[in-house]
Amino acid sequence: MSLARQHGPAPVDRVEAAGRIDAVYRVRCAPAAIEARALAIAAEQSVEMPIGAIQDDWIRDEIVARVEDIEAEPEAKAAEAVGAAGAAQQAWRVTLSLDARTVGTEPGQLMNMLFGNSSLQPDVELIDARLPAALLDTLPGPAFGVDGLRALVGAPRRALTCTALKPQGLPPERLAALAGSFARAGIDFIKDDHGIADQAYAPFAQRVAQVQRAVTRANAETGGRSVYAPSLSGGARSLAQQLRIARDEGVRCVLACPLLIGVATFAELVRERGDLAILAHPALAGAARIAPALLLGRLVRLFGADATIFPNFGGRFSYGVDTCRAIADAARGPLGRHRATMPVPAGGMSVARVEEMLDEFGADVMLLIGGNLLEAGAAMPARAREFVERVQRASAR
Amino acid sequence: MSLARQHGPAPVDRVEAAGRIDAVYRVRCAPAAIEARALAIAAEQSVEMPIGAIQDDWIRDEIVARVEDIEAEPEAKAAEAVGAAGAAQQAWRVTLSLDARTVGTEPGQLMNMLFGNSSLQPDVELIDARLPAALLDTLPGPAFGVDGLRALVGAPRRALTCTALKPQGLPPERLAALAGSFARAGIDFIKDDHGIADQAYAPFAQRVAQVQRAVTRANAETGGRSVYAPSLSGGARSLAQQLRIARDEGVRCVLACPLLIGVATFAELVRERGDLAILAHPALAGAARIAPALLLGRLVRLFGADATIFPNFGGRFSYGVDTCRAIADAARGPLGRHRATMPVPAGGMSVARVEEMLDEFGADVMLLIGGNLLEAGAAMPARAREFVERVQRASAR
């Protein structure tokens, strides 16, 4: 940036440049219209007004998003676009750069600048975002991450195991009994189903107290280190209260849905969680319009999730193997100063697929299997034990 | 519900039934598969486990979502589906009912039960939700609503006017000067652009103080009652701080994005806003997969927005006139005990379209015009004044 460009109205020229964010969109549009469309998205995602009506050079040069690149997408790639509308038109990859000063350091405002208004336009998907070093560094990122979660359960190398307490509707004592069975089988992380909130039939305070005690008792019996992760829900006031209850009960890890509680609230939760690890659940991710690797991999990691749950290929959801690999890569690959976030493939997984999943993701993974354990009925403790043993064996290969 | 069914494990039978929520989905699926698919969505959105593995009659009968209806959609209707994937397959309208006890009264958990996991499945869109009377009554709804906003600006009958302060990048004194011009032109609501957060070049505290003073001064000069609505952003801690600053400066109305800050956090903001009215902005609405009338009309109203901004037809966004009419109807139609929420069509609107918009929406509307005023350049005050006068004239027809 030239010195001349830095010169804007007070106090603007006192605000140091913070680099530029590259945001990459897939846009469906006729060839003749793509340049104008790219400029329109640049305006939409920055100043949201006619560029010609901007009187300040500094704003026009720096704050208005710049169209950095427009590239035709190979049709094969475009065809697998999630939620793409208007398949008859050609797909383009448009890279815009945004001034990082428009974001500051707040995750909600980052989402707003990346996709606030454009999320309402059906021809646009957000497929990638590259942040400048300073912004990357300022975002919280995981405090535990892969290594911290391993340390929590005393498993330095092998893949980790996870299951879910369900169905909702069970009273606290039944959920606690179930958690006890899972812990005695040696499963590492036992999380609440994300549908379990603070319902009258299993109020948070009673449920968390009873489940945590059951897990602690089972650990004492077996010498194991299973961890219970209750699901937090509600606004900040409710989250703070639940966090306090969880901590008082000796809980070491919690589950939260960044897109349900809001990414800004999620980031505040991250700051206030003390020594609790945080698993992110993808509910309401609206991922149909934001590339899953970006949202559930990179962004959720930057916002501070220690583990990120995502719908794995071959289950109840539609993500392909490439999408899942991209999520895991985004969660674990180099990213500024940040720890790796543990990828947690899930969503209709079964014990029979343990080896296949470890072949795909390696051992820096936490496998989450829920319904497949429960449908064993009376044989559930045996199947849970089989889950644990197959992971141990497959990790040692 | 029979007495036998009410008998579940303690403390379940002490939790009174709260009625059922009807959730309506558009599902793309081959005819031979739709019944199984509907049952799968019912499981996904309630217990998220194999139904056969549920041992409790009460949970299977009440908590598992019920498939109430499956109807083939006329293809014409299906074709206009927002963000629909796999257009080759037939579209179905599937109605599920959910036990309202799974929600309690928390907006985030309502979104979770309506569309948490299914939002990750590309063949499903959420198109409607009907809540039982008790739940409807418990949700906050608007405190001001249409009548309260009218009272705030002293305009009991005519359509209201609104504009936005932009572009971001302007320092507080420039935003204040702009707000003063708008207020002197007589515009009712002057909101921050939703991209204006707490950036270093226009920090919230300085900006809000200067803009509010400029509007107050202009009102004193003209005898008008223009209202400034600053944009709130961040997590709950930041929202609470901004709310306090706004109140201290004499602000009477604020803007917030429910999908960016999280619907649960939005609902807490609603409870804590004291005597400030709240405008909802649709950023990041992911509306591609939730019907706009449901999300931006009914749900945002139930969560407590006094006015809901939506992208109007014929502007920069793609919503058709039917979609916009449905949003306005959902915002203003009968809905339990709740006040009407003011519909705010926006997104590339112009002064030339004032009469057309009033013909479409009637006078219980707030027109939001931003860029079209600013692009008049030096003639902006005259165009803002024209906006105000055309609304007055057209409302009196």
PDB file of all heavy atoms in Angstrom, chain A residues 340-352:
ATOM      1  N   ALA A 340      -3.694 -27.733  16.409  1.00  0.00           N
ATOM      2  CA  ALA A 340      -4.597 -28.504  15.555  1.00  0.00           C
ATOM      3  C   ALA A 340      -5.894 -28.779  16.300  1.00  0.00           C
ATOM      4  O   ALA A 340      -5.898 -29.018  17.498  1.00  0.00           O
ATOM      5  CB  ALA A 340      -3.944 -29.818  15.154  1.00  0.00           C
ATOM      6  N   THR A 341      -7.002 -28.698  15.573  1.00  0.00           N
ATOM      7  CA  THR A 341      -8.300 -29.092  16.127  1.00  0.00           C
ATOM      8  C   THR A 341      -8.535 -30.559  15.765  1.00  0.00           C
ATOM      9  O   THR A 341      -8.222 -30.995  14.656  1.00  0.00           O
ATOM     10  CB  THR A 341      -9.411 -28.200  15.535  1.00  0.00           C
ATOM     11  OG1 THR A 341      -9.282 -26.894  16.083  1.00  0.00           O
ATOM     12  CG2 THR A 341     -10.797 -28.737  15.854  1.00  0.00           C
ATOM     13  N   MET A 342      -9.072 -31.317  16.704  1.00  0.00           N
ATOM     14  CA  MET A 342      -9.292 -32.741  16.471  1.00  0.00           C
ATOM     15  C   MET A 342     -10.502 -32.942  15.550  1.00  0.00           C
ATOM     16  O   MET A 342     -11.604 -32.513  15.875  1.00  0.00           O
ATOM     17  CB  MET A 342      -9.550 -33.413  17.820  1.00  0.00           C
ATOM     18  CG  MET A 342      -9.723 -34.908  17.755  1.00  0.00           C
ATOM     19  SD  MET A 342      -8.194 -35.763  17.280  1.00  0.00           S
ATOM     20  CE  MET A 342      -7.491 -36.153  18.887  1.00  0.00           C
ATOM     21  N   PRO A 343     -10.320 -33.579  14.398  1.00  0.00           N
ATOM     22  CA  PRO A 343     -11.490 -33.864  13.557  1.00  0.00           C
ATOM     23  C   PRO A 343     -12.294 -35.033  14.148  1.00  0.00           C
ATOM     24  O   PRO A 343     -11.705 -36.011  14.615  1.00  0.00           O
ATOM     25  CB  PRO A 343     -10.875 -34.250  12.204  1.00  0.00           C
ATOM     26  CG  PRO A 343      -9.440 -34.541  12.451  1.00  0.00           C
ATOM     27  CD  PRO A 343      -9.051 -34.002  13.791  1.00  0.00           C
ATOM     28  N   VAL A 344     -13.618 -34.900  14.117  1.00  0.00           N
ATOM     29  CA  VAL A 344     -14.501 -35.921  14.692  1.00  0.00           C
ATOM     30  C   VAL A 344     -15.542 -36.337  13.657  1.00  0.00           C
ATOM     31  O   VAL A 344     -16.662 -35.806  13.627  1.00  0.00           O
ATOM     32  CB  VAL A 344     -15.207 -35.406  15.975  1.00  0.00           C
ATOM     33  CG1 VAL A 344     -15.948 -36.553  16.666  1.00  0.00           C
ATOM     34  CG2 VAL A 344     -14.220 -34.746  16.934  1.00  0.00           C
ATOM     35  N   PRO A 345     -15.200 -37.278  12.772  1.00  0.00           N
ATOM     36  CA  PRO A 345     -16.188 -37.743  11.794  1.00  0.00           C
ATOM     37  C   PRO A 345     -17.326 -38.455  12.517  1.00  0.00           C
ATOM     38  O   PRO A 345     -17.081 -39.208  13.452  1.00  0.00           O
ATOM     39  CB  PRO A 345     -15.383 -38.701  10.905  1.00  0.00           C
ATOM     40  CG  PRO A 345     -14.211 -39.114  11.728  1.00  0.00           C
ATOM     41  CD  PRO A 345     -13.920 -37.974  12.654  1.00  0.00           C
ATOM     42  N   ALA A 346     -18.548 -38.230  12.086  1.00  0.00           N
ATOM     43  CA  ALA A 346     -19.709 -38.753  12.814  1.00  0.00           C
ATOM     44  C   ALA A 346     -20.926 -38.800  11.897  1.00  0.00           C
ATOM     45  O   ALA A 346     -20.816 -38.539  10.706  1.00  0.00           O
ATOM     46  CB  ALA A 346     -19.993 -37.857  14.019  1.00  0.00           C
ATOM     47  N   GLY A 347     -22.064 -39.132  12.459  1.00  0.00           N
ATOM     48  CA  GLY A 347     -23.322 -39.097  11.701  1.00  0.00           C
ATOM     49  C   GLY A 347     -23.661 -40.433  11.074  1.00  0.00           C
ATOM     50  O   GLY A 347     -23.608 -40.590   9.862  1.00  0.00           O
ATOM     51  N   GLY A 348     -24.045 -41.413  11.888  1.00  0.00           N
ATOM     52  CA  GLY A 348     -24.407 -42.717  11.351  1.00  0.00           C
ATOM     53  C   GLY A 348     -23.208 -43.618  11.123  1.00  0.00           C
ATOM     54  O   GLY A 348     -23.209 -44.470  10.242  1.00  0.00           O
ATOM     55  N   MET A 349     -22.151 -43.443  11.926  1.00  0.00           N
ATOM     56  CA  MET A 349     -20.973 -44.302  11.809  1.00  0.00           C
ATOM     57  C   MET A 349     -21.216 -45.618  12.578  1.00  0.00           C
ATOM     58  O   MET A 349     -22.045 -45.679  13.467  1.00  0.00           O
ATOM     59  CB  MET A 349     -19.734 -43.594  12.377  1.00  0.00           C
ATOM     60  CG  MET A 349     -19.339 -42.338  11.602  1.00  0.00           C
ATOM     61  SD  MET A 349     -18.904 -42.676   9.853  1.00  0.00           S
ATOM     62  CE  MET A 349     -20.404 -42.150   9.006  1.00  0.00           C
ATOM     63  N   SER A 350     -20.456 -46.662  12.222  1.00  0.00           N
ATOM     64  CA  SER A 350     -20.625 -47.951  12.896  1.00  0.00           C
ATOM     65  C   SER A 350     -19.261 -48.526  13.283  1.00  0.00           C
ATOM     66  O   SER A 350     -18.229 -48.154  12.718  1.00  0.00           O
ATOM     67  CB  SER A 350     -21.359 -48.933  11.980  1.00  0.00           C
ATOM     68  OG  SER A 350     -20.575 -49.171  10.824  1.00  0.00           O
ATOM     69  N   VAL A 351     -19.301 -49.436  14.244  1.00  0.00           N
ATOM     70  CA  VAL A 351     -18.071 -50.076  14.721  1.00  0.00           C
ATOM     71  C   VAL A 351     -17.385 -50.828  13.576  1.00  0.00           C
ATOM     72  O   VAL A 351     -16.152 -50.884  13.494  1.00  0.00           O
ATOM     73  CB  VAL A 351     -18.393 -51.022  15.905  1.00  0.00           C
ATOM     74  CG1 VAL A 351     -17.159 -51.812  16.330  1.00  0.00           C
ATOM     75  CG2 VAL A 351     -18.936 -50.212  17.078  1.00  0.00           C
ATOM     76  N   ALA A 352     -18.180 -51.342  12.649  1.00  0.00           N
ATOM     77  CA  ALA A 352     -17.613 -52.086  11.510  1.00  0.00           C
ATOM     78  C   ALA A 352     -16.708 -51.212  10.645  1.00  0.00           C
ATOM     79  O   ALA A 352     -15.881 -51.731   9.894  1.00  0.00           O
ATOM     80  CB  ALA A 352     -18.744 -52.665  10.665  1.00  0.00           C
TER      81      ALA A 352
END
